[in-house]
């Protein structure tokens, strides 16, 4: 676990602490993790920071479901000179913070610890700006997972849902049994997660890359998007009542408690199952969304470290070094439900779902099928992703009945935004 990495890190931190007469300032990590499972991950980080000999700033724990408010508060604190020592951010925030000259460059730490060799290439694109390491990728969360209540799946005699037709048959069986077939809330982010998985299943990896990462759809791609929207409309009929304000973890709870058969959600759902003591195979099942086998749509939580803050460069360098260590990555991500952000991760201690995630990341890195999630804003600038949100949610709620205009108009508009 942490025993191998702590002695070296303590050698960096302890002399600093001993040289100071006053008690050193607490180390503050700003974050949005607020669900039960996410709080367990925060506790794992707290345990690591305490063992480094660095006092943890409990007041720095910020849980906000509204990421817009989260970003605004972080920006205000930085502007007022009261920024945290480090913060969890989305990959699209990294470049903006880098441009504001607020971030500590991590090139020396990265070179000393071979980050170039162990971090998958697709993840490096989120953590580096103009060749510089400016953020720490602490995990690889995959989004194209579906989660099934294992007891309900057994009662309904469901096989592995390999294809779209398999999924529809399973959802129809659940409906006939009086269950909620698909647990999903009314948040645009949940709709986008479903949309990207359906899109990858319909068109495959190259389609997804052209349309959503490169923003260069072909005419055949635009026809495939019509199929995507038709499938989204079909799923709407099996979803939880439209307009019900379920947060993602509340939708997970519906699967966990047997109220619903299936949820499409990122691998952070594992943290919820773990927190409530569920056992994979016995209580829940995981699998790739039908027809997306071999693809990993992913988001990587990024932690940035700020310059000129209360703690010393030695403490912040030790923090960054340890976060990417194999031991800390393993411990944190067993709790968080993600794959470590290293291709040399040891799978011992992970659930079957976690081990499959680690395997899929390695294969995706080699095959070029490790693809950034558009729902989690890793794929493109925030304005690009948000241009899709109102259309997708409006369509999924049944407010927009004809979306043939969307492929040409919205994709063309977002392409212009990203190239500007």
């Amino acid at each position: 676990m942490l025993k191998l990495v702590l002695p070296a890190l303590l050698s960096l931190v302890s002399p600093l602490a001993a040289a100071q007469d006053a008690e050193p300032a607490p180390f503050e990590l700003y974050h949005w993790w607020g669900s039960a499972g996410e709080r367990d991950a925060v506790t794992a980080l707290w345990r690591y920071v305490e063992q480094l000999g660095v006092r943890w700033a409990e007041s720095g724990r910020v849980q906000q479901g509204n990421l817009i408010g989260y970003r605004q508060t972080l920006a205000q604190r930085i502007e007022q000179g009261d920024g945290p020592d480090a913060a969890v951010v989305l990959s699209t925030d990294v470049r903006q913070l880098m441009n504001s000259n607020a971030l500590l460059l991590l090139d020396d730490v990265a070179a000393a610890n071979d980050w170039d060799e162990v971090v998958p290439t697709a993840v490096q694109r989120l953590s580096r700006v103009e060749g510089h390491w400016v953020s720490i990728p602490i995990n690889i969360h995959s989004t194209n997972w579906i989660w099934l209540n294992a007891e309900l799946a057994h009662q309904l005699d469901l096989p592995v849902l390999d294809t779209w037709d398999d999924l529809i048959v399973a959802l129809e069986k659940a409906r006939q049994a009086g269950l909620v077939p698909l647990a999903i809330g009314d948040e645009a982010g949940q709709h986008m997660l479903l949309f990207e998985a359906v899109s990858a299943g319909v068109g495959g990896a190259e389609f997804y890359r052209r349309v959503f990462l490169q923003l260069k759809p072909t005419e055949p791609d635009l026809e495939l998007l019509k199929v995507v929207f038709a499938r989204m409309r079909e799923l709407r009929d099996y979803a939880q009542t439209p307009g019900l304000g379920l947060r993602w973890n509340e939708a997970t709870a519906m699967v966990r408690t047997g109220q619903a058969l299936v949820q499409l959600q990122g691998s952070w759902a594992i943290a919820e199952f773990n927190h409530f003591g569920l056992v994979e195979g016995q209580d829940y099942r995981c699998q790739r969304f039908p027809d997306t086998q071999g693809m990993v749509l992913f988001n990587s939580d990024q932690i940035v470290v700020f310059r000129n803050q209360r703690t010393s460069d030695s403490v912040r360098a030790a923090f960054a070094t340890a976060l990417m260590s194999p031991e800390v990555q393993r411990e944190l991500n067993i709790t968080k439900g993600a794959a470590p952000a290293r291709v040399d991760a040891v799978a011992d201690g992970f659930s079957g779902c976690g081990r499959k995630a680690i395997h899929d990341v390695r294969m995706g890195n080699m095959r070029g099928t490790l693809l950034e999630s558009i729902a989690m804003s890793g794929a493109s600038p925030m304005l690009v992703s948000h241009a899709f949100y109102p259309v997708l949610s409006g369509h999924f709620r049944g407010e927009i009945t004809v979306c043939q205009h969307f492929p040409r108009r919205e994709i063309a508009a977002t392409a212009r935004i990203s190239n500007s």
Side-chain angles (χ1 to χ4, degrees), residues 33-61:
W33 295 337
S35 75
E38 289 171 331
R39 293 165 83 94
D40 291 341
V42 173
T43 299
L45 277 179
W46 171 83
R47 190 166 58 247
Y48 141 67
V49 173
E50 289 286 301
Q51 292 183 45
L52 273 181
V54 179
R55 190 158 55 95
W56 178 269
E58 284 293 329
S59 62
R61 291 178 58 184

Side-chain angles (χ1 to χ4, degrees), residues 228-276:
V228 173
F229 277 102
R231 290 191 173 185
M232 290 290 290
R233 185 166 56 248
E234 193 171 2
L235 288 177
R236 180 203 311 159
D237 295 336
Y238 293 106
Q240 176 58 277
T241 306
L244 187 63
L246 289 175
R247 296 172 62 90
W248 72 266
N249 54 308
E250 293 169 331
T252 304
M254 293 185 68
V255 173
R256 174 171 56 82
T257 58
Q259 299 174 64
L261 174 65
V262 167
Q263 181 191 26
L264 178 286
Q265 191 54 247
S267 54
W268 45 86
I270 295 177
E272 298 299 299
F273 296 135
N274 288 343
H275 178 82
F276 290 98

Side-chain angles (χ1 to χ4, degrees), residues 164-180:
W164 175 259
D165 289 342
D166 292 338
L167 175 62
I168 296 302
V169 168
L171 295 177
E172 182 59 32
K173 281 187 174 182
R175 180 161 63 181
Q176 294 295 328
L179 302 167
V180 173

Side-chain angles (χ1 to χ4, degrees), residues 356-373:
K356 177 169 174 52
I358 291 171
H359 172 269
D360 289 352
V361 164
R362 289 173 179 164
M363 294 300 100
N365 186 52
M366 290 190 294
R367 297 169 179 167
T369 56
L370 193 57
L371 305 165
E372 298 98 319
S373 163

